[in-house]
Amino acid sequence: MDAGIGTQALATLIAVYGLFMSPIGWGWAAFVWGYALAWFLVNDRVKLLAYRIFDGAKIETRSEANAPNATSTGDVPWAVIPPTTRKMRD
């Protein structure tokens, strides 16, 4: 069993049965789990949106790499080959 899952299960049992605290019961435990899961999904979408906004420069760089002037065989476009090499290839 994963340590994270084990600690969450143990914490749920402690809260449900009331070890060192007032017991909350299975109904409230299920509500807390559902609430945490719902907000996890919302926060994950917000995180992905933030990555897309703040990491825009890398996305533009990737799209420039797929520009039409690059050949499909992976050759370097003529624009970045030094002039001495360009003369040899002509």
Side-chain angles (χ1 to χ4, degrees), residues 31 37 85 88:
F31 173 77
L37 180 62
T85 310
M88 288 181 201

Side-chain angles (χ1 to χ4, degrees), residues 3 7 22 25 34 45-46 64 79:
T7 56
S22 299
R45 292 297 175 188
V46 171
E64 290 172 2

Side-chain angles (χ1 to χ4, degrees), residues 11-78:
T12 300
L13 291 173
I14 289 172
V16 167
Y17 293 112
L19 184 63
F20 305 117
M21 60 181 279
S22 299
I24 64 169
W26 284 107
W28 279 109
F31 173 77
V32 169
W33 273 95
Y35 183 84
L37 180 62
W39 276 108
F40 162 75
L41 295 173
V42 171
N43 285 334
D44 190 54
R45 292 297 175 188
V46 171
K47 176 191 73 173
L48 292 175
L49 178 63
Y51 282 161
R52 181 176 292 173
I53 290 170
F54 294 125
D55 204 20
K58 289 184 180 178
I59 293 171
E60 291 172 10
T61 304
R62 286 186 209 125
S63 65
E64 290 172 2
N66 295 329
N69 64 349
T71 61
S72 62
T73 60
D75 290 340
V76 180
W78 284 105

